[in-house]
Amino acid sequence: MKYQIEHLNVLNYEAPVDQSLNQIRLKPRTDECQRLLTYRPEITPVSLTKEFSDLWGNNVESFFIAEPHKELIVKSTSVVSIQKSPFIRMVQFSDEMDKIFKSDLFHNHYLSFLNDTDSTFLTKQQMDEANAEIGEESNPVEYMLKVMNYMYEKFTYDPDATVVNTRATEAFDLKRGVCQDLTHVMLGLLRAKGIPSRYVSGYLYVGENSALVGDSATHAWVECMVPGIGWTGLDPTNNVEALEQHIRVGIGRDYQDVSPLQGVYRGGKHTLDVKVSVTLLEQN
């Protein structure tokens, strides 16, 4: 599958800003299943960018605007190809995989994706409530699939229920939210069982007749580390494995690690408008 993605961010300040320092994470990743073919950022006022990789391997572009401006426009255009086949439901969790999963080496290697953050933390009462529905499971692969199904069955996709800073504890009690909230709650449940799990930000191609649901701007889902298999994407918003329609941009412990646009400036309040379009160019 080959896609073109256009991502437009428009920041309007209530008063002129005399300078601002910004970072963007909009460049899709390249890995064994996804290939970035072209990428073009456009920034107004025109600025030079400096690229670097952050701690999680995400591409970051930073830029400084020294001149007064009342509007900042960041547009990125990318072309990506994806080739991936479903497999997680076919995985037989072997004794050897279980031995690796329970080893100190495995635990220590993925420690960053086992510790909760403020965004993914759930209380013991919430954990008990969820596990009473999910049930006990000694097979991590089956458990992560059950958690994904639990999220899909118990939570309602509601763009008006939460805000960008809503934490997992709040979304859990509401049983509502967007893909970001469902991802944070699922991360909390998986990490409590010792399953290394990370936050993925990107885009979802929903097509004209698709039953998939996602934010109008960007999408988020979970990746779990399966011994001997690698990182496996699970989308709790749609109860599906992340495959050819999920375009990966950033990974991290939670949303705070992968926010598409971050910055500091001297001035008053601002508003942000975001528009994203994902166009299918070629189908396998």
Side-chain angles (χ1 to χ4, degrees):
M1 308 287 271
K2 185 175 177 182
Y3 301 101
Q4 176 172 292
I5 306 105
E6 291 186 353
H7 189 155
L8 176 66
N9 294 276
V10 180
L11 272 166
N12 281 294
Y13 305 100
E14 65 176 10
V17 170
D18 58 5
Q19 54 184 302
S20 66
L21 177 63
N22 306 277
Q23 289 186 344
I24 55 175
R25 289 175 174 81
L26 297 170
K27 191 174 186 178
R29 300 173 71 93
T30 288
D31 54 33
E32 62 273 14
C33 299
Q34 174 174 298
R35 185 180 177 197
L36 176 63
L37 302 176
T38 64
Y39 173 75
R40 186 179 72 253
E42 299 172 69
I43 299 170
T44 307
V46 175
S47 306
L48 293 175
T49 63
K50 181 178 180 180
E51 290 191 34
F52 64 93
S53 293
D54 65 14
L55 184 62
W56 317 109
N58 303 312
N59 183 276
V60 184
E61 296 164 89
S62 66
F63 56 94
F64 178 69
I65 302 175
E67 62 187 272
H69 55 287
K70 198 172 179 183
E71 182 180 69
L72 171 62
I73 302 175
V74 179
K75 179 183 178 182
S76 66
T77 305
S78 310
V79 176
V80 172
S81 67
I82 300 176
Q83 182 69 49
K84 191 173 183 181
S85 300
F87 70 96
I88 190 60
R89 295 180 190 277
M90 301 172 63
V91 168
Q92 299 296 318
F93 197 74
S94 66
D95 291 342
E96 180 137 352
M97 294 165 74
D98 189 54
K99 185 177 179 181
I100 296 172
F101 179 75
K102 293 176 179 174
S103 70
D104 290 340
L105 182 63
F106 183 79
H107 180 274
N108 293 336
H109 188 77
Y110 296 107
L111 193 58
S112 297
F113 300 113
L114 286 168
N115 290 329
D116 274 323
T117 68
D118 288 344
S119 296
T120 66
F121 172 78
L122 294 172
T123 66
K124 183 179 183 304
Q125 183 178 6
Q126 291 172 329
M127 290 292 307
D128 290 345
E129 178 187 330
N131 283 318
E133 297 273 349
I134 297 167
E136 293 299 323
E137 183 57 68
S138 59
N139 182 325
V141 173
E142 292 184 4
Y143 183 78
M144 61 181 71
L145 290 171
K146 283 186 176 181
V147 172
M148 180 172 67
N149 186 68
Y150 167 80
M151 298 299 304
Y152 183 74
E153 294 290 338
K154 296 296 180 181
F155 286 67
T156 300
Y157 183 85
D158 183 353
D160 299 321
T162 56
V163 295
V164 69
N165 293 321
T166 298
R167 299 180 179 183
T169 50
E170 301 165 293
F172 187 92
D173 288 339
L174 290 170
K175 297 293 189 295
R176 312 180 80 84
V178 295
C179 52
Q180 174 182 316
D181 304 303
L182 272 66
T183 298
H184 281 157
V185 173
M186 185 169 171
L187 287 173
L189 292 170
L190 294 172
R191 289 173 181 171
K193 291 293 184 180
I195 300 174
S197 309
R198 62 190 187 186
Y199 188 104
V200 185
S201 70
Y203 308 105
L204 178 68
Y205 176 70
V206 296
E208 294 182 359
N209 301 311
S210 174
L212 298 178
V213 175
D215 285 353
S216 58
T218 58
H219 195 55
W221 60 95
V222 173
E223 282 187 342
C224 306
M225 171 51 66
V226 180
I229 301 297
W231 290 105
T232 299
L234 298 174
D235 180 353
T237 306
N238 294 291
N239 200 22
V240 298
E241 186 177 353
L243 299 172
E244 296 97 333
Q245 292 171 304
H246 293 74
I247 303 160
R248 302 163 73 247
V249 175
I251 58 172
R253 297 163 300 176
D254 56 26
Y255 173 78
Q256 302 303 322
D257 286 338
V258 299
S259 177
L261 174 61
Q262 295 176 315
V264 292
Y265 63 92
R266 293 199 301 192
K269 296 179 180 179
H270 71 270
T271 60
L272 172 64
D273 292 320
V274 181
K275 293 181 180 177
V276 172
S277 69
V278 181
T279 304
L280 178 63
L281 299 179
E282 292 180 13
Q283 190 165 2
N284 294 336

